[in-house]
Amino acid sequence: MIASISSSPSLLAKAGVLKTKKYTVGLPQEGIRKLDFFDLNYFSEDLVVQDGNIITARGRGFIQFGITVGKAKALHLSFDEMVQRITK
């Protein structure tokens, strides 16, 4: 699994990892258009996007991102259980 949040999906795009993969990124669309390594056909406005084993998220989707990564790793914890583990 590859998980990337905020503007870091741009590194995946530049490396070619996001080719033919649905993704999101924490950059304005103007900025995405200026970078020639993004394919806007696969861009999503969603806060979190999972396409196969690749998970991308906008920065403000950090909670849903964590939950999505946890589910992908088969960590079936409730929100309260996650908070307890994090705050120990």
Side-chain angles (χ1 to χ4, degrees), residues 4 14 43 50-51 63:
S4 185
K14 189 168 186 172
F43 174 73
Q50 182 171 4
D51 189 341
I63 293 173

Side-chain angles (χ1 to χ4, degrees), residues 65-77:
F65 176 74
I67 292 168
T68 303
V69 169
K71 286 180 180 177
K73 298 288 287 175
L75 301 174
H76 300 287
L77 302 173

